[in-house]
Amino acid sequence: VLFRSKIVHKYKFFLLESGVVFPNNSQVELSHHRGIKNIEKIGAMLLTVINNSMYCKKIIALLPYQFHPQHKHFKKVETFHILFGELTLKKENKIFNLVQGDKIDVYAGEWHSFWTNKKGAIFEEISTEALNADSEYFDNKINKMDRILRRTTILNW
């Protein structure tokens, strides 16, 4: 619990420092594909602003040098819009270096992963509805993990 509290405070400070504003009633989750203890290397903070049958908006925060593993969606189509920092996106084996203001589309079925440099990154993910069983990871160990074990909901943000 103490470690989780420290990570949440790191994200809070990072968001405050960036100036990115989001609604107070956003659902906050830590995404950790190699366990909560490894989140500073592999993971992200996801703030779900809205998710319904029409569309979804999330704010995704990656601390400096954080990585999100290669995956694809079966149905979801995403647009990433960089709000702060720098994000490197690998999409279908092509590398895109994105900076504040850039946007890029990721279509259903496209393998993609992303990571940050020393600045970290915060970006909007605007997409079709986010569904629990809509992702497949390149690393089958992640696919075998229960989604509940890869995510921690933060209730008292």
Side-chain angles (χ1 to χ4, degrees), residues 30 42 57 77 93 126:
L30 299 177
I42 301 173
K57 177 180 175 175
V77 176
N93 292 316
I126 301 167

Side-chain angles (χ1 to χ4, degrees), residues 22-132:
F22 58 93
N24 290 332
N25 63 348
S26 299
Q27 177 188 345
V28 181
E29 292 179 298
L30 299 177
S31 177
H32 42 81
H33 302 85
R34 293 275 184 254
I36 191 76
K37 294 285 185 187
N38 295 310
I39 191 170
E40 290 180 273
K41 292 181 182 175
I42 301 173
M45 176 175 269
L46 312 173
L47 298 108
T48 301
V49 176
I50 189 166
N51 186 26
N52 62 39
S53 62
M54 300 288 287
Y55 55 90
C56 176
K57 177 180 175 175
K58 295 182 181 186
I59 305 290
I60 301 178
L62 280 87
L63 298 170
Y65 301 108
Q66 219 171 12
F67 172 79
H68 193 277
Q70 187 175 23
H71 64 288
K72 67 180 178 179
H73 304 287
F74 301 109
K75 295 182 180 181
K76 186 163 82 165
V77 176
E78 304 168 304
T79 297
F80 295 167
H81 174 224
I82 311 304
L83 302 174
F84 176 84
E86 299 175 7
L87 183 77
T88 302
L89 171 73
K90 181 178 180 183
K91 181 175 82 155
E92 292 292 304
N93 292 316
K94 187 172 180 187
I95 302 291
F96 299 88
N97 294 305
L98 306 168
V99 298
Q100 187 173 353
D102 287 347
K103 71 178 186 67
I104 191 166
D105 297 321
V106 179
Y107 297 99
E110 290 186 323
W111 286 103
H112 60 287
S113 60
F114 41 87
W115 59 92
T116 64
N117 63 15
K118 65 183 177 189
K119 289 185 176 184
I122 300 172
F123 63 96
E124 284 182 307
E125 175 195 289
I126 301 167
S127 70
T128 54
E129 183 179 17
L131 303 167
N132 283 339

Side-chain angles (χ1 to χ4, degrees), residues 145-157:
M145 287 177 68
D146 189 322
R147 187 176 191 273
I148 292 170
L149 298 176
R150 296 188 324 230
R151 298 271 177 106
T152 300
T153 301
I154 306 300
L155 298 175
N156 297 317
W157 176 251

